[in-house]
Amino acid sequence: MKTLTEDQKKYLMDSIREIPDFPKPGILFKDITTLLNNSEAFNLLMEHLTARYQEKNLDFVAGIESRGFIFGAALAAKLGVGFVPIRKKGKLPGTTIGEKYALEYGVDEVEIHIDAFRGREGARVLLIDDLIATGGTAEAAAKLIRDAKGECVEACFLIDLTFLGGKEKLKPLTSFYSVLEVV
Ligand code: AMP
């Protein structure tokens, strides 16, 4: 189903557990492991994403470490396209391109293999992660796709914490989709 009903969205939202003060005080952590271990919820989500993206002519799905790997790899297999990991600095073994982004305190960096898209200039790539908060990670990831000569067709998230405005950071780079919104 390309569009989810409000009841289906509520079902998915209710399948995600909230853990207060993790990993630090003041953060309400959205724990998607309770969606993953619920076969009905996981299936509903994957069927929805497959329906949304199967006619978008994608070449690759790129997932952000680490929860983006779970959804991204499952979706890539369903779509019959390749999967590309975008990882924290120092984890990918081949030649990489890196992109730094600001954290609340300090900076972090994500990397992609320089040959991730197998030499296909303009490869059509879907970026995916479980959640967008401030958008710093996703913005850096979208830039990496561009720098590796892919075309980031859309950035897709299970949850958008809309009050943090992350979506705005992606506007100059790609289009945006979130399955669920927290306002
Ligand atoms: P940001 O760069 O601020 O958009 O943060 C996004 C990344 O941090 C994603 O990889 C999320 O999985 C993780 N993240 C941020 N806030 C939360 C939260 N409240 N619950 C779960 N994951 C979060």
Side-chain angles (χ1 to χ4, degrees):
M1 66 313 288
K2 263 191 178 156
T3 313
L4 292 176
T5 64
E6 289 308 310
D7 280 354
Q8 287 173 320
K9 286 188 190 178
K10 183 172 183 325
Y11 177 72
L12 287 179
M13 190 64 102
D14 289 348
S15 76
I16 299 162
R17 173 166 62 181
E18 291 186 327
I19 311 274
D21 300 318
F22 183 88
K24 51 184 184 182
I27 306 269
L28 183 58
F29 192 83
K30 297 279 184 188
D31 176 18
I32 52 99
T33 63
T34 49
L35 181 153
L36 297 173
N37 69 14
N38 174 344
S39 59
E40 205 176 308
F42 192 23
N43 238 330
L44 173 62
L45 174 66
M46 296 318 300
E47 292 301 324
H48 167 56
L49 294 178
T50 305
R52 180 177 174 84
Y53 291 111
Q54 66 190 351
E55 280 145 34
K56 295 256 162 104
N57 224 358
L58 296 176
D59 297 308
F60 296 92
V61 176
I64 301 175
E65 184 171 355
S66 58
R67 278 156 287 165
F69 292 177
I70 302 168
F71 299 114
L75 181 60
K78 279 204 163 250
L79 295 172
V81 303
F83 174 76
V84 170
I86 292 177
R87 299 207 64 177
K88 298 277 164 61
K89 187 178 169 60
K91 301 278 188 180
L92 288 170
T95 305
T96 56
I97 314 171
E99 186 71 42
K100 293 189 175 64
Y101 59 97
L103 296 175
E104 200 178 341
Y105 303 104
V107 288
D108 216 336
E109 188 168 347
V110 281
E111 293 181 337
I112 194 169
H113 274 141
I114 197 163
D115 58 356
F117 305 130
R118 306 176 67 90
R120 289 162 71 170
E121 282 205 17
R124 290 173 61 77
V125 184
L126 174 72
L127 176 64
I128 192 164
D129 201 2
D130 67 329
L131 182 144
I132 181 162
T134 65
T137 319
E139 182 187 22
K143 286 182 179 165
L144 285 182
I145 291 171
R146 181 195 62 196
D147 294 347
K149 307 268 189 287
E151 180 198 345
C152 188
V153 174
E154 189 156 271
C156 170
F157 306 87
L158 172 55
I159 307 164
D160 177 12
L161 303 185
T162 58
F163 53 91
L164 294 174
K167 181 179 177 175
E168 294 306 309
K169 285 207 183 90
L170 289 171
K171 268 205 177 134
L173 292 161
T174 186
S175 77
F176 179 92
Y177 177 67
S178 73
V179 179
L180 305 172
E181 288 187 341
V182 177
V183 291

